[in-house]
Each structure stands twice: as structure tokens, then as C-alpha cells.
Amino acid sequence: MSTERSINFSAGPAIIPESVLQKASKEMLNWNNTGMSLMELSHRSGPFKELIAKIEQDLIDLLKIPETHKVLFLQGGAHFMFSGVPLNLMGENGKGDYILTGNWSTRAMNEAKKYGKVNVVCKPDEFNKIPPKEEWNLSTDASYVYYCDNETVKGVEFPDIPDVGDVPLVCDMSSNFLSRPFDVSKFGCVYACAQKNFGMAGLTIAIVRKDLIGKQLPYTPMMLDFELQAKANSMFNTPSTYAIYIAGLIFDWLKEQGGLEEIAKINLKKCKLIYDAIDNSNGFYKSPVEIKSRSRMNIPFVCKNKEWETEWLEGAAKLKLVSLKGHRSVGGFRASIYNAMSYEGCEKLVNYMIDFMKSKEK
Ligand code: PMP
């Protein structure tokens, strides 16, 4: 790794593999012998159409997306989908079931209320766990069940895809998309913004079951209309071409790493290293999340004296370990260790955590 680069634990926009940035920088002035930057290239041009088709195919290969599902390259961030989901999927029943496990699922539910009824399936007192299914209150007449696979702020992640019977399952996978394989066929719709695990802000990918497309409410804005977007193959208007290109470079990088099975193994090793450091610290560090709901991607933790936080962060920054401050609503620290964060980066963090602890316990 280049010595001038920080070891970036930001929750998003987040770290990007250095080789991807190098490739993009090499191709900046002349992409693929077009004599221009990808940024300057028309989205209607042959080379761009070929590129987006390749990128879509790479995603299909990585996730083994079945024929039954359509990939959409959208914009507007994950927030776009907070509105897009109810507008397109609430349909005749006019009702969505929402599993609340943190602030992102709550925000999505609040947006959905504008377009129809919502039912809260569960809502733990504190957002520090996934409540067991026995505590869920699923409706019998919902058009879909919504959940957030990984709540980025408090670091709460579903260990498995929830079983909700025949009702279409909708998932915000913004902060753990492509961090492990999953069975796309179980979803009515799954989506993620790019700026955490596959590149830069400006792109949101949605994978939607084809038979659910075309049920949008009549007043759905055209940009949010899955049917229009699907018919236009994500070229309804000018898509975020550069963000799509960067996502494509990351898909290439993921394949080079051995695909999602391999990436999932590395991710497990990385988070185990950090959780072990927390759990073996004799209470010096603490994770606020129930063990079986702990996120593999976003690890919030506190140290036993709140007054040491600034010193801890400053000491970390001196070692180029940056963006470790906890979310403003939570405090403490948070290490976001998406795919592009190396095992060595996590080791450096853990060594620092231990050194800091020893310095206080002298
Ligand atoms: N969902 C999750 C799980 C997130 O972590 C975030 C934060 N980026 C969002 C939604 C909102 O994303 P955006 O800023 O792209 O709208």
C-alpha cells in the first residue's frame, strides 16, 4: 500500500481498493482508447453500452442472480429507495411490514408512511440486537416485508435472511452488499448504495423480482418508477456513468479476490480479530451489541473512560488510522471494515487498541 494513504475506517463514503484507484487514475485521460475520460463519454455511445452490459453481467456472476430478477443502476442514494420501495411495491394492499433494527430501517418506514399503511413487525427498546422471530408481529396482508440487513450506525446485522413466507422480502443491504454470498431468489427487492462496498456515491443498485415490476402507484415520479427504469435498461436518463465504471472495477477486483465466498471468509477473520480484542480487554473496551447480532462490517465500541476518547482518536490518527469516531448519535468509536479494508489494516488497529490500553493500565 502507498505510504501516503490513510487506513480509512469510515462508514461511508469509504475505503476503495488501492489497485482500483490506480487503474482509474491511469485511465483518467484516455479510457479504453476512446481518447477521452470515461466521464466525458456519452452514455448512449457503443463503448459505454458495452461497458455497462459487462458490469451488469459481472454482478450477475458474482451474486448468481437468477433470470427472474432485474438489475437496475439507479441514483439518489439509498434514500431514493426509501421512497422507491413503497411507491413501487405497496400496490393494491397499500401496506408494508417493517422490521425495525436501527435508524435506517426506521427512516425507511417513516418515508413509507407517506404512501400507505405500515406495520411495525418488531422494534427492540434499544437498537442493539435482532429480536427473535417469536417476538415478530407479521401482518397477513402486507404487500412486502422490509428490513435492513446491516444497520450501519449501531453495527447490528442479520446473521441469515429472515423467513417471511410468501410475502416479497425487501432489503436495504447498503452496508454489507457483496460482503458475503446470498440467495437473491429469496428477495422481492434488494438494494444498496455504492459508497460503502462498491465504490463511490452517486450510484444505487437495486435487484428487483421481475414479476413485481409494473405495480407502481399512479403518481410515482418517473425517476423512481421501476418499470420505466427497467424498460430503459437503467438508461432512462443519464446514469451516473463514472460511479458505474468504478463499481465495475470493484467487481473485477472482487473476482480477483476469489469471489464472494473468499471475501466472506476474509471478512469473518477481520471482524473476529477486532471483536476478540474488545472481548479480551477485560472490560477496557466494550461492544454494545448482542453477540449474535454483531455486524461484520461496522464495529462500534467504547472504552471504559469516556474522557480518553479524544486522546485515543488523536493517537490513532498519528498512525494514519482514521475515521474511527463513532456516529454522532452513539459516541465512542466505530471501525467500518468493508471489503476493501485489509486484514493488515485491522491488525494495525488492534495493535493500537492494545497499546493504548496498556498505556492506561501502567
Ligand atoms: N441505509 C444504510 C444501511 C446506510 O448505511 C445508509 C448510509 N449511507 C443509508 C441507508 C443512506 O444512504 P444514502 O446516503 O446513500 O441515501
Side-chain angles (χ1 to χ4, degrees):
M1 192 178 104
S2 148
T3 48
E4 67 197 17
R5 300 248 314 146
S6 295
I7 305 170
N8 181 6
F9 291 91
S10 168
I15 187 167
I16 291 179
E18 193 174 307
S19 60
V20 165
L21 295 174
Q22 268 162 356
K23 178 132 203 272
S25 117
K26 219 163 140 201
E27 296 181 337
M28 180 60 83
L29 297 184
N30 179 8
W31 175 75
N32 205 18
N33 289 327
T34 53
M36 58 183 85
S37 167
L38 191 283
M39 261 182 248
E40 301 169 292
L41 187 70
S42 165
H43 63 295
R44 304 275 176 216
S45 66
F48 186 79
K49 281 192 186 152
E50 270 174 39
L51 177 70
I52 195 170
K54 176 200 177 292
I55 293 171
E56 183 177 342
Q57 190 56 51
D58 284 345
L59 183 67
I60 291 171
D61 295 345
L62 277 166
L63 278 171
K64 303 189 175 71
I65 301 175
E67 276 288 315
T68 44
H69 285 63
K70 174 80 185 154
V71 177
L72 299 176
F73 295 89
L74 305 171
Q75 303 181 48
H79 276 76
F80 188 81
M81 294 296 292
F82 294 170
S83 328
V85 165
L87 281 164
N88 285 278
L89 303 178
M90 262 192 175
E92 286 159 21
N93 290 5
K95 185 172 177 188
D97 267 8
Y98 279 75
I99 300 175
L100 303 186
T101 51
N103 74 324
W104 293 117
S105 42
T106 306
R107 195 175 268 222
M109 178 197 70
N110 287 334
E111 180 64 11
K113 278 183 189 164
K114 294 181 186 166
Y115 307 110
K117 283 184 262 166
V118 298
N119 166 51
V120 175
V121 175
C122 60
K123 180 179 183 303
D125 295 337
E126 267 183 81
F127 285 137
N128 64 349
K129 63 173 177 201
I130 309 290
K133 197 150 179 228
E134 303 75 67
E135 292 173 20
W136 295 10
N137 162 37
L138 289 164
S139 309
T140 48
D141 59 348
S143 302
Y144 60 86
V145 179
Y146 181 103
Y147 79 109
C148 176
D149 205 36
N150 182 63
E151 285 281 0
T152 322
V153 172
K154 289 208 167 172
V156 173
E157 185 174 31
F158 277 74
D160 308 297
I161 301 173
D163 178 7
V164 296
D166 291 337
V167 185
L169 185 61
V170 178
C171 179
D172 174 1
M173 232 183 246
S174 289
S175 48
N176 61 353
F177 192 59
L178 301 175
S179 68
R180 59 182 171 193
F182 66 90
D183 182 355
V184 175
S185 72
K186 292 198 168 153
F187 291 92
C189 170
V190 46
Y191 68 88
C193 54
Q195 68 269 23
K196 296 164 194 297
N197 246 344
F198 60 103
M200 54 180 272
L203 168 66
T204 303
I205 286 184
I207 306 169
V208 189
R209 218 173 74 201
K210 288 177 185 161
D211 66 316
L212 297 174
I213 297 177
K215 298 177 190 280
Q216 62 279 3
L217 298 173
Y219 48 85
T220 303
M222 55 188 175
M223 281 299 289
L224 280 163
D225 183 326
F226 290 173
E227 189 175 24
L228 284 183
Q229 296 281 9
K231 278 192 180 146
N233 250 327
S234 307
M235 297 278 201
F236 178 68
N237 73 332
T238 317
S240 38
T241 51
Y242 200 76
I244 292 171
Y245 157 73
I246 294 287
L249 293 184
I250 291 180
F251 298 164
D252 289 340
W253 177 82
L254 284 169
K255 286 187 178 169
E256 284 161 24
Q257 308 305 302
L260 301 189
E261 284 79 10
E262 287 308 310
I263 276 286
K265 284 185 207 154
I266 303 169
N267 283 334
L268 270 185
K269 267 178 71 183
K270 279 157 42 185
C271 75
K272 183 172 181 320
L273 188 68
I274 300 177
Y275 283 123
D276 280 353
I278 295 170
D279 294 340
N280 297 334
S281 72
N282 236 332
F284 188 88
Y285 296 110
K286 272 198 183 122
S287 152
V289 179
E290 180 194 77
I291 288 181
K292 60 179 194 286
S293 310
R294 284 174 168 181
S295 167
R296 297 160 309 123
M297 296 280 108
N298 311 95
I299 305 182
F301 57 99
V302 291
C303 76
K304 77 176 179 198
N305 188 340
K306 213 178 149 17
E307 284 174 11
W308 294 339
E309 282 181 11
T310 308
E311 186 188 340
W312 192 99
L313 288 167
E314 284 171 1
K318 283 195 188 130
L319 301 173
K320 286 185 176 283
L321 302 162
V322 301
S323 312
L324 282 158
K325 199 170 172 16
H327 188 271
R328 58 189 182 279
S329 64
V330 181
F333 313 115
R334 176 176 49 169
S336 295
I337 53 167
Y338 301 120
N339 290 343
M341 173 57 68
S342 64
Y343 185 79
E344 292 71 35
C346 297
E347 265 178 339
K348 283 200 176 131
L349 172 64
V350 161
N351 289 341
Y352 172 66
M353 288 167 71
I354 294 170
D355 287 348
F356 184 90
M357 177 174 79
K358 283 187 185 151
S359 76
K360 293 294 175 198
E361 288 183 338
K362 261 186 202 154

